[in-house]
Each structure stands twice: as structure tokens, then as C-alpha cells.
Amino acid sequence: MNNDKVQCVILAAGQGTRMKSEQPKVLHQIVGKPMVQYAIDSAKSIGSLRPIVVIGHGAEQVKNTIGDRVEYVLQSPQRGTGHAMLQARAQIDPASDTVLVLYGDTPFIGAETLQCLLAAQRDAQAALSLITFTPNDPALYGRIVRDANGRVVDIVEYKEATSEQRAIREVNSGIFCYQTQWLLEHLNKLQPRAGHGEYYLTDLIGIAAQEQAITATCSCDEAEVLGINDRAQLAAAERLMRDQINLRHLLNGVTLIDPANTYIEASVTIGPDSIIHPGSHIKGKTAIGRECAIGPNTIIEDSQIGNRVEIVASLIEGATIEDGVDVGPFSHLRKGAHLGADVHIGNFAEVKDSTLGPGTKQGHFSYLGNATIGANVNIGAGTITCNYDGQHKHPTTIGDNTFIGSDTMLVAPVTIGHDAKTGAGSVVTHDVADNELVYGVPAKPKTTSNP
Ligand code: UD1
Ligand code: CA
């Protein structure tokens, strides 16, 4: 293992012209996570000192999205990758051993490959090292020029390459590491390119070659160093990342009926023997237990779901669902919905900020908000908690084993006892005692005056 102090610098200031977007390129999301966040996570995975992120285009937006987990350096205007590093120079910890440069638009790089680069650098005692790869189509990547002895002597950008150089298939991933002291001493030798005035970080290769400094390389698969420059590459990256996540679940014992049509974010956990049907989107901090059946056509976000839960064609946001519950089709659980064990939620039901006790049933088109509902309660079709008076939200409480008749309006605040009953069409404006039956508009107990 490598005990060197590594300082990561993430270049993320470029405009990303080819994205044709108002949004900075590095904030475009891949499987629900901004592109630049992948580089930050990679930096953390190899134990970097607090990463430095060079921002420029859309700097405020990037800061607001990523927050203060990293150090920022502003590069304005953006005059190339070398210029970006020159701006970061003052923030680089001179006590670090190694500086590792990652790109905000290269999200797939794995920790193992980065460790391999750091090891190559250390073993060769190189001044700098880089990751190269050899794709089928070297496209617009910078070409790696080697001398007769196989030493890397230059990197030539596609647009400046001769046709002979364009034929080179080994290309630059953009991921470099440097001996910190060597970098600090050599960065200001970079010169702007004639014509457009951009500073190329890749020119340090030529400078190192002239000084006979040692350059090490390490190669990896194309898939790890795909650069995202346009929406076609973004879509390809989305597919690739999704496949990786889905494969992990498949190998963990989760059935995905159609992985290509299943959308699971990296942070989600799913227990074995659960089945995910097509058209399911599972996002954020969601945990799903074992033996569940999710989908088809279900969206779940930031929710905790127990074992043996079935959810069909529904939207679940910020909810907690205990074992044995079934939901849907076409229902909506919102923030703070908490369903006890074996609750049944049928179609066109909405639940927000409410707890439903074990075995309670809400079968057909109804709304429960700010409600605390006991065990084995029947919520009749069309029941509504009228929880909002235009200014404030009010609570509804219902005791165990109570039967709420179809089309009951529960005008909150209101408390209904256990084993009580409301007649169909009741408008309940007053509390209902345990074991009491009320009906009518407004609802009254069954007495001689309300026969
Ligand atoms: C760069 C490399 C190329 C390599 C390719 C790999 C150079 C000159 N070229 O080309 O050899 O094959 O990456 O993907 O280094 N950035 C800044 N400030 C700037 C310009 C860019 O922070 O002024 C950032 C961008 O946000 C991006 C990264 O640097 O994250 C790379 O910039 P980009 O313009 O995409 O470089 P490429 O043309 O792809
Ligand atoms: Ca790029």
C-alpha cells in the first residue's frame, strides 16, 4: 500500500462547448450524480488530502451543488488545462509527495487503476506518470508520441497532429501524477500556444523529456477513461454506469427482469430475492429489503422499505414501509409516510406525514395527511383528511380497529377513538368516542335525533 501523501487536483473549469448547454458541463448528471462528483469520490477513495477543484464556467453553480467538502480555485478566463493547474499551484500542499490530476469530465476511473498509477510513479521514481489507453477509435484524444526506445516524449492534440500522428492509437487519458516538488518547479515553464493562447498541461511531458526526467505510464481500459464532451457521450456514460450498478445487484441476488430498463442509483441497497420489474427508478438513499417485488413503472426515492413488500406502478418519496406491505397501482406516498407491517394501499391513494398502524387498509382513492392511524383500521374509498384550513395543517388521529366509511371527510383537528365507525358520506367535524358510530353531515352519533 502507498503511504504517500497525495494531493488531488480536479480540473472542472471548462465550458464544455460541445454539450451545447447553459449548465456547466461537470454538473450534468450521470445516474443521478453530477459528473464532477465522481472525480471527487475517486480522490477520496485513494485517500487524497482535501481535493482542490478548479472551477470557472458556472463556478457559483458548481460550488452550490458540491458544497464545502473540497477546496476551490477559480480559473477565469479558462485558458487551458495547463492554465488551470497554474491557478491551483498556490493551493497545492508543498508537503505532499504526489499531485494527482483528475478531470471533472472523466467519471469512470477506478481506485485500482489510480493505485496502479501511483505505484508506477513510485517504482520508477518518476517525475511524472500518466494513464494511457488504446481505444478502437482514438477520436479527438491527445496522441501519445514515443521515441525509438518507447519513452513518452510528447502528447499531441488531435487538432494539431500530423496525419502520421493521428494514426497513433495510444492516447492520453488526462490523468497524471507528479512528484509535488517537480511539478511546483516546472509548472511555470508552460508557455501559451501560439494562435489561441491556451496552456496545455500535456506540454509538461515534452519538458520532462528534454530534461531526461523519468516518465512512467500505466494503461487501462477505454471504459475507465471515457471523457464526456457531448450529449452522445453523456448518454453512453449513463448506460455504462447503469450497467455497472445493475450488475452489482444481479450478482448480489436481486432479479432485474430487464436491466436495460431499470434505473438504480449508486447509493441504493436491495436485499436478495427481490425482483425489480422494468421501468423502475430507484434513487437516493433508498434501502429495499429481501423478497420484495418492485414495479413495473415505480419511482422510489429516499425511502426505507422492509422485506416482502410489493409496489406496483407507484411513486414513493421519503417514506418508510415495513414488512409485508403492498402498494398500488397508481398510489403516491410522500415525505413522512410510515406504513406499519402488512398495510394495504390500493389505487389512487396519497399519504403524507402520516403513520398507518399494522394491518390498516386504504384501498381506494383517498388522501391521508398529518394523520396518526392505529392498527387494523379500514379507510373507506374516497376518505379525505381535510388537514389544511387555508393557513395551517391540523392532525387527525384514529384508534385501532376503527371503520371509516366510504367518502368520509375528516375535518382536522379531529380524534376518532378505537373500534368506532363513520357512515358513508359523513363529514366529521367533532371527535368520535371509542366504539361510537357517527354519520351524516355534519356527523352525529346514532341517537333518537339522528336515527
Ligand atoms: C484533454 C487533453 C487530451 C486528452 C483528453 C482526455 C489537454 C491539452 N488535452 O483534452 O490530451 O486526450 O483531455 O479526456 O490537456 N479544463 C479546465 N480549464 C480549462 C480547460 C479545461 O479546468 O481552461 C478542464 C475541463 O473542465 C475538463 C478537463 O479540464 O474537465 C479537460 O478539458 P477538455 O477541454 O475537455 O480537454 P480535451 O479537449 O478533452
Ligand atoms: Ca474532455
Side-chain angles (χ1 to χ4, degrees):
M1 264 317 271
N2 167 36
N3 296 316
D4 288 355
K5 270 213 260 174
V6 180
Q7 167 82 76
C8 281
V9 180
I10 298 166
L11 305 188
Q15 180 175 7
T17 322
R18 283 176 273 168
M19 292 298 284
K20 307 211 167 117
S21 175
E22 290 294 312
Q23 209 188 11
K25 174 166 84 172
V26 295
L27 289 187
H28 282 266
Q29 295 197 347
I30 300 170
V31 193
K33 196 157 93 172
M35 215 185 288
V36 65
Q37 186 65 49
Y38 287 91
I40 295 170
D41 292 348
S42 295
K44 289 197 181 135
S45 76
I46 53 137
S48 167
L49 303 170
R50 198 173 157 88
I52 299 168
V53 182
V54 182
I55 52 176
H57 192 77
E60 283 309 306
Q61 256 174 292
V62 177
K63 271 193 197 174
N64 289 339
T65 307
I66 301 303
D68 57 11
R69 289 163 286 175
V70 298
E71 215 59 63
Y72 292 102
V73 170
L74 188 66
Q75 182 201 15
S76 179
Q78 294 89 44
R79 294 170 61 199
T81 48
H83 183 250
M85 279 301 280
L86 279 163
Q87 311 311 298
R89 190 180 187 282
Q91 300 287 325
I92 291 172
D93 184 346
S96 63
D97 301 291
T98 308
V99 173
L100 177 66
V101 175
L102 300 172
Y103 281 180
D105 71 348
T106 307
F108 287 97
I109 189 70
E112 270 176 34
T113 303
L114 293 177
Q115 293 293 5
C116 159
L117 176 69
L118 294 170
Q121 159 98 357
R122 203 176 49 240
D123 293 350
Q125 301 208 331
L128 76 166
S129 315
L130 72 153
I131 298 176
T132 71
F133 64 112
T134 308
N136 284 331
D137 173 14
L140 306 183
Y141 290 109
R143 303 302 199 257
I144 304 288
V145 181
R146 293 184 183 259
D147 67 10
N149 299 318
R151 288 176 2 129
V152 179
V153 291
D154 203 4
I155 297 178
V156 184
E157 291 306 303
Y158 175 83
K159 56 179 183 268
E160 289 145 19
T162 61
S163 55
E164 210 172 54
Q165 288 167 331
R166 285 181 181 182
I168 297 173
R169 295 211 7 247
E170 186 187 13
V171 296
N172 171 27
S173 69
I175 297 167
F176 279 85
C177 78
Y178 306 88
Q179 256 177 34
T180 301
Q181 283 312 316
W182 190 91
L183 178 69
L184 295 177
E185 283 160 18
H186 289 78
L187 252 182
N188 52 16
K189 296 194 189 288
L190 290 176
Q191 296 296 324
R193 286 302 178 96
H196 49 68
E198 275 194 30
Y199 293 75
Y200 288 4
L201 187 56
T202 45
D203 285 349
L204 284 179
I205 290 283
I207 291 169
Q210 276 165 23
E211 289 186 0
Q212 312 287 328
I214 300 171
T215 300
T217 61
C218 151
S219 64
C220 74
D221 278 353
E222 176 176 12
E224 272 196 77
V225 285
L226 286 177
I228 317 295
N229 301 295
D230 59 35
R231 307 262 185 166
Q233 288 168 327
L234 183 68
E238 177 85 22
R239 269 196 308 279
L240 212 72
M241 197 67 82
R242 191 159 71 223
D243 288 350
Q244 286 180 8
I245 294 169
N246 287 350
L247 182 62
R248 174 162 59 80
H249 291 292
L250 291 166
L251 298 180
N252 280 344
V254 178
T255 294
L256 308 180
I257 300 293
D258 180 6
N261 195 10
T262 302
Y263 308 82
I264 305 174
E265 290 184 1
S267 44
V268 170
T269 63
I270 307 176
D273 284 325
S274 285
I275 300 178
I276 313 296
H277 293 275
S280 294
H281 300 247
I282 309 176
K283 311 185 199 188
K285 293 192 173 63
T286 293
I288 296 177
R290 354 173 29 111
E291 296 166 52
C292 292
I294 306 297
N297 302 330
T298 290
I299 302 172
I300 303 179
E301 186 161 8
D302 296 329
S303 295
Q304 305 304 306
I305 293 173
N307 303 320
R308 300 180 315 281
V309 170
E310 293 183 16
I311 304 176
V312 178
S314 291
L315 171 58
I316 315 292
E317 305 168 285
T320 303
I321 298 181
E322 296 188 28
D323 296 351
V325 168
D326 74 298
V327 178
F330 317 124
S331 282
H332 187 186
L333 303 186
R334 294 166 52 202
K335 196 166 164 294
H338 185 146
L339 309 184
D342 303 313
V343 161
H344 163 71
I345 301 282
N347 34 214
F348 306 105
E350 176 179 348
V351 180
K352 183 220 73 170
D353 268 326
S354 294
T355 300
L356 278 63
T360 284
K361 295 182 167 58
Q362 183 188 2
H364 324 272
F365 40 94
S366 74
Y367 170 64
L368 297 176
N370 305 89
T372 306
I373 296 170
N376 300 313
V377 171
N378 184 81
I379 304 290
T383 294
I384 287 174
T385 52
C386 311
N387 61 330
Y388 185 53
D389 62 12
Q391 275 170 330
H392 301 288
K393 299 280 169 70
H394 300 285
T396 298
T397 304
I398 302 176
D400 295 347
N401 308 316
T402 281
F403 184 95
I404 304 294
S406 292
D407 203 26
T408 296
M409 302 294 121
L410 300 162
V411 183
V414 69
T415 297
I416 298 178
H418 65 74
D419 298 284
K421 254 187 189 172
T422 68
S426 308
V427 176
V428 181
T429 53
H430 289 95
D431 290 355
V432 177
D434 296 343
N435 303 300
E436 191 170 48
L437 163 66
V438 299
Y439 61 98
V441 181
K444 291 188 178 139
K446 187 178 180 197
T447 60
T448 40
S449 62
N450 193 6

